[in-house]
Amino acid sequence: MINVFSHLLKPFGYLLIKGISGKRAYDWWAPAFLTIISAAYFCLLKVPTTDLLKEGGFVKSVSSFISNLPGFYIAALAAIATFNREQIDYPLIGLNGTPFIKVTRTKENGKTVDTQEKLTRRLFLCMLFSFLTALSICILMFNAFVTPLTNVLNNDIVNWCYIIVFLFFTWQMLVSTFFGLYYLGDRIHIN
């Protein structure tokens, strides 16, 4: 049963990659900063939370945009996984050596061993687009489950909590997407 959950949560392993300069900023600090700026923007404009959540409001508009993304992310993942170019299997270049991810493996005797797997460019990009696919689907599911709750409770505190979580995950997805575009457009060509 634990294996099932570890397999289902594997796309989020991207967040555990170590050795990439500034990755924590891309994964956590930039989305948090943009969430604060966005929430402050809505507060300064004194936009009621019900307007942000209603049909045609901010959350619904962004959700309809996000609903188109999983297909594109899956297509990018498939293209990267099957891309036939020798350089994509070179080690990922980091400032302090090759970036890595900790991997737990079970040996034949049943014992588990933690190892560090060095990342290739292909593995990094596959992990990135796998994460983006999973995150975009989770945002949509989060939206689908919480929207009825906000309608029933109709409480500003609940609405703001929902909006802030939605903003954070959306910004995390967008910042990671732009990081992936930067990597595909520039970094992948550096030997």
Side-chain angles (χ1 to χ4, degrees):
M1 188 64 155
I2 291 174
N3 277 344
V4 171
F5 286 113
S6 78
H7 293 162
L8 294 176
L9 295 175
K10 197 71 164 173
F12 297 98
Y14 166 79
L15 295 170
L16 303 176
I17 293 173
K18 305 285 185 218
I20 297 176
S21 178
K23 186 168 177 306
R24 184 174 288 160
Y26 289 116
D27 293 343
W28 303 106
W29 303 122
F33 176 73
L34 291 167
T35 298
I36 291 167
I37 296 294
S38 302
Y41 171 76
F42 293 131
C43 286
L44 287 173
L45 291 179
K46 297 181 180 175
V47 179
T49 57
T50 52
D51 286 356
L52 293 172
L53 298 175
K54 71 180 181 183
E55 201 61 43
F58 175 79
V59 172
K60 299 293 181 193
S61 298
V62 172
S63 292
S64 66
F65 166 71
I66 293 172
S67 68
N68 294 313
L69 293 178
F72 290 106
Y73 289 142
I74 290 170
L77 178 59
I80 291 162
T82 60
F83 190 62
N84 190 16
R85 182 177 171 198
E86 182 183 339
Q87 290 86 352
I88 201 163
D89 291 315
Y90 288 176
L92 190 64
I93 298 169
L95 294 177
N96 303 323
T98 303
F100 64 91
I101 186 159
K102 289 184 181 177
V103 178
T104 302
R105 302 217 189 271
T106 305
K107 291 190 168 188
E108 289 179 16
N109 61 8
K111 291 185 178 181
T112 58
V113 178
D114 288 336
T115 60
Q116 291 182 358
E117 185 173 336
K118 292 183 176 183
L119 293 179
T120 63
R121 296 167 181 198
R122 184 186 311 270
L123 181 56
F124 169 73
L125 288 168
C126 284
M127 290 179 75
L128 171 63
F129 282 97
S130 178
F131 167 70
L132 289 170
T133 303
L135 183 58
S136 61
I137 292 169
C138 286
I139 290 170
L140 294 172
M141 293 305 295
F142 172 74
N143 189 35
F145 278 102
V146 178
T147 298
L149 181 66
T150 60
N151 291 337
V152 168
L153 296 177
N154 198 17
N155 180 310
D156 262 355
I157 294 171
V158 171
N159 290 351
W160 270 116
C161 289
Y162 166 51
I163 290 166
I164 288 169
V165 171
F166 178 81
L167 282 169
F168 178 80
F169 287 133
T170 301
W171 280 121
Q172 188 178 45
M173 182 191 65
L174 291 174
V175 169
S176 296
T177 299
F178 278 95
F179 181 59
L181 292 173
Y182 155 73
Y183 194 84
L184 282 170
D186 183 56
R187 292 291 303 171
I188 200 166
H189 303 290
I190 297 172
N191 292 323

